Coordinates of all heavy atoms in Angstrom, one line a residue:
Chain B
K46 N -8.5 -112.9 -86.5 CA -8.9 -112.5 -87.9 C -9.1 -111.0 -88.1 O -8.8 -110.4 -89.1 CB -10.1 -113.3 -88.3 CG -9.7 -114.8 -88.5 CD -11.0 -115.6 -88.9 CE -10.7 -117.0 -88.7 NZ -11.8 -117.8 -88.1
K47 N -9.8 -110.5 -87.0 CA -10.3 -109.0 -87.3 C -9.1 -108.2 -87.3 O -8.2 -108.2 -86.5 CB -11.3 -108.6 -86.2 CG -12.7 -109.1 -86.4 CD -13.7 -108.5 -85.4 CE -15.0 -109.2 -85.5 NZ -15.9 -108.8 -84.4
E48 N -9.2 -107.2 -88.2 CA -8.2 -106.0 -88.2 C -8.4 -105.3 -87.0 O -9.4 -105.2 -86.4 CB -8.5 -105.1 -89.4 CG -7.8 -105.4 -90.7 CD -8.0 -104.4 -91.7 OE1 -8.1 -103.2 -91.3 OE2 -8.0 -104.7 -92.8
K49 N -7.2 -104.8 -86.5 CA -7.2 -103.9 -85.3 C -8.0 -102.8 -85.7 O -7.9 -102.0 -86.7 CB -5.8 -103.5 -85.0 CG -4.8 -104.5 -84.6 CD -3.7 -103.9 -84.0 CE -2.9 -103.0 -85.1 NZ -1.6 -102.5 -84.5
P50 N -9.0 -102.4 -84.9 CA -9.9 -101.2 -85.1 C -9.1 -100.0 -84.9 O -8.3 -99.9 -83.8 CB -11.0 -101.5 -84.2 CG -10.5 -102.2 -83.1 CD -9.4 -103.1 -83.6
A51 N -9.3 -99.0 -85.6 CA -8.6 -97.7 -85.3 C -9.4 -97.1 -84.2 O -10.6 -97.1 -84.0 CB -8.8 -96.8 -86.6
V52 N -8.6 -96.6 -83.3 CA -9.2 -95.9 -82.1 C -8.6 -94.5 -81.9 O -7.4 -94.3 -82.2 CB -8.8 -96.8 -80.9 CG1 -9.2 -96.0 -79.6 CG2 -9.4 -98.2 -80.9
V53 N -9.5 -93.5 -81.6 CA -9.0 -92.3 -81.2 C -9.4 -92.0 -79.7 O -10.5 -92.4 -79.3 CB -9.5 -91.1 -82.1 CG1 -8.8 -91.2 -83.4 CG2 -11.0 -91.1 -82.1
W54 N -8.5 -91.6 -78.9 CA -8.7 -91.4 -77.5 C -8.7 -90.0 -77.2 O -7.6 -89.3 -77.2 CB -7.7 -92.2 -76.7 CG -7.9 -92.2 -75.2 CD1 -8.2 -91.2 -74.4 CD2 -7.9 -93.4 -74.4 NE1 -8.2 -91.6 -73.1 CE2 -8.1 -92.9 -73.1 CE3 -7.6 -94.8 -74.6 CZ2 -8.1 -93.8 -72.0 CZ3 -7.7 -95.6 -73.5 CH2 -7.9 -95.2 -72.2
M55 N -9.8 -89.3 -77.0 CA -9.8 -87.8 -76.8 C -9.7 -87.5 -75.4 O -10.3 -88.2 -74.5 CB -11.2 -87.3 -77.4 CG -11.6 -87.7 -78.8 SD -10.2 -87.5 -80.0 CE -10.1 -85.8 -80.0
H56 N -8.9 -86.5 -75.2 CA -8.7 -86.0 -73.7 C -9.3 -84.6 -73.7 O -8.8 -83.6 -74.3 CB -7.3 -86.0 -73.4 CG -6.6 -87.3 -73.3 ND1 -6.4 -88.0 -72.2 CD2 -6.2 -88.1 -74.4 CE1 -5.9 -89.2 -72.5 NE2 -5.7 -89.2 -73.8
F57 N -10.4 -84.3 -72.9 CA -10.9 -82.9 -72.7 C -10.6 -82.6 -71.3 O -9.4 -82.7 -70.8 CB -12.3 -82.9 -73.1 CG -12.5 -83.3 -74.6 CD1 -13.5 -84.2 -75.1 CD2 -11.7 -82.6 -75.6 CE1 -13.7 -84.5 -76.3 CE2 -11.9 -82.9 -76.9 CZ -12.8 -83.9 -77.3
Q58 N -11.8 -82.1 -70.6 CA -11.5 -81.6 -69.2 C -11.3 -82.9 -68.3 O -12.4 -83.5 -67.8 CB -12.7 -80.8 -68.7 CG -12.7 -79.5 -69.3 CD -13.8 -78.7 -68.7 OE1 -15.0 -79.1 -68.8 NE2 -13.6 -77.5 -68.3
E59 N -10.1 -83.3 -68.0 CA -9.9 -84.5 -67.2 C -8.6 -84.5 -66.5 O -7.8 -83.5 -66.7 CB -10.1 -85.7 -68.1 CG -9.3 -85.6 -69.4 CD -7.9 -86.1 -69.3 OE1 -7.3 -86.0 -68.3 OE2 -7.4 -86.6 -70.4
C60 N -8.3 -85.5 -65.7 CA -7.0 -85.5 -65.0 C -6.2 -86.7 -65.5 O -5.1 -86.9 -64.9 CB -7.3 -85.7 -63.5 SG -7.9 -87.2 -63.1
T61 N -6.6 -87.4 -66.5 CA -5.9 -88.6 -67.1 C -5.9 -89.8 -66.1 O -5.2 -90.8 -66.4 CB -4.4 -88.1 -67.5 OG1 -4.4 -86.9 -68.0 CG2 -3.9 -89.1 -68.4
C62 N -6.7 -89.7 -65.1 CA -6.7 -90.9 -64.2 C -7.4 -92.1 -64.9 O -7.0 -93.3 -64.5 CB -7.4 -90.6 -62.9 SG -9.2 -90.5 -63.0
C63 N -8.2 -91.9 -65.9 CA -8.8 -93.0 -66.5 C -7.7 -93.7 -67.4 O -7.6 -95.0 -67.4 CB -9.8 -92.5 -67.6 SG -11.2 -91.6 -66.7
S64 N -6.8 -92.9 -68.1 CA -5.7 -93.6 -68.8 C -4.7 -94.3 -67.8 O -4.3 -95.4 -68.1 CB -4.9 -92.5 -69.5 OG -5.7 -91.7 -70.4
E65 N -4.6 -93.7 -66.7 CA -3.6 -94.3 -65.7 C -4.2 -95.6 -65.2 O -3.5 -96.6 -65.0 CB -3.4 -93.4 -64.5 CG -2.6 -92.2 -64.8 CD -1.1 -92.4 -64.8 OE1 -0.8 -93.5 -64.5 OE2 -0.4 -91.5 -65.3
S66 N -5.5 -95.6 -65.1 CA -6.2 -96.8 -64.6 C -6.1 -97.9 -65.7 O -5.8 -99.1 -65.4 CB -7.7 -96.5 -64.3 OG -8.4 -97.7 -64.0
F67 N -6.4 -97.6 -66.9 CA -6.5 -98.5 -68.0 C -5.2 -99.2 -68.2 O -5.2 -100.5 -68.4 CB -6.7 -97.8 -69.4 CG -7.1 -98.6 -70.5 CD1 -8.5 -98.9 -70.8 CD2 -6.2 -99.2 -71.3 CE1 -8.8 -99.7 -71.8 CE2 -6.5 -100.0 -72.4 CZ -7.9 -100.3 -72.7
I68 N -4.0 -98.5 -68.1 CA -2.7 -99.2 -68.3 C -2.4 -100.1 -67.1 O -1.3 -100.7 -67.2 CB -1.6 -98.3 -68.7 CG1 -1.4 -97.2 -67.6 CG2 -1.9 -97.5 -70.0 CD1 -0.2 -96.3 -67.8
R69 N -3.2 -100.2 -66.1 CA -2.9 -101.0 -65.0 C -3.9 -102.2 -65.0 O -4.2 -102.7 -63.9 CB -3.0 -100.2 -63.6 CG -1.8 -99.4 -63.4 CD -1.9 -98.4 -62.4 NE -0.8 -97.6 -62.2 CZ -0.4 -96.6 -63.0 NH1 -1.0 -96.4 -64.1 NH2 0.8 -96.0 -62.8
A70 N -4.5 -102.5 -66.1 CA -5.4 -103.6 -66.1 C -4.7 -104.9 -65.7 O -3.5 -105.0 -65.8 CB -6.0 -103.8 -67.5
S71 N -5.5 -105.9 -65.2 CA -4.9 -107.1 -64.6 C -3.9 -107.9 -65.4 O -2.8 -108.2 -65.0 CB -6.0 -108.1 -64.2 OG -6.9 -107.5 -63.3
H72 N -4.2 -108.2 -66.7 CA -3.4 -109.0 -67.5 C -2.2 -108.2 -68.0 O -2.5 -107.1 -68.6 CB -4.2 -109.7 -68.6 CG -3.5 -110.9 -69.1 ND1 -2.5 -110.8 -70.1 CD2 -3.6 -112.2 -68.8 CE1 -2.0 -112.0 -70.4 NE2 -2.7 -112.9 -69.6
P73 N -1.0 -108.6 -68.0 CA 0.1 -107.8 -68.5 C -0.1 -107.5 -69.9 O 0.4 -106.3 -70.4 CB 1.3 -108.7 -68.2 CG 0.8 -110.1 -68.0 CD -0.5 -109.9 -67.4
I74 N -0.7 -108.2 -70.7 CA -0.8 -107.8 -72.2 C -1.8 -106.8 -72.3 O -1.8 -106.1 -73.3 CB -1.2 -109.1 -72.9 CG1 -0.1 -110.2 -72.7 CG2 -1.2 -108.8 -74.4 CD1 -0.4 -111.5 -73.4
V75 N -2.6 -106.5 -71.3 CA -3.6 -105.5 -71.4 C -3.0 -104.2 -71.7 O -3.6 -103.3 -72.4 CB -4.7 -105.6 -70.2 CG1 -5.6 -104.4 -70.3 CG2 -5.4 -106.8 -70.2
A76 N -2.0 -103.9 -71.0 CA -1.3 -102.6 -71.3 C -1.0 -102.5 -72.7 O -1.1 -101.4 -73.4 CB 0.0 -102.5 -70.4
D77 N -0.5 -103.6 -73.2 CA -0.1 -103.6 -74.7 C -1.4 -103.5 -75.5 O -1.3 -102.9 -76.7 CB 0.6 -104.8 -75.0 CG 2.1 -104.8 -74.6 OD1 2.5 -103.8 -74.3 OD2 2.7 -106.0 -74.5

Side-chain angles (χ1 to χ4, degrees):
Chain B
K46 292 176 194 141
K47 278 191 190 169
E48 264 186 35
K49 300 191 295 181
V52 173
V53 292
W54 185 311
M55 310 308 297
H56 296 257
F57 298 130
Q58 285 182 310
E59 44 91 332
C60 71
T61 320
C62 74
C63 303
S64 301
E65 290 284 349
S66 176
F67 192 94
I68 60 176
R69 281 163 182 75
S71 300
H72 199 278
I74 303 177
V75 170
D77 284 343

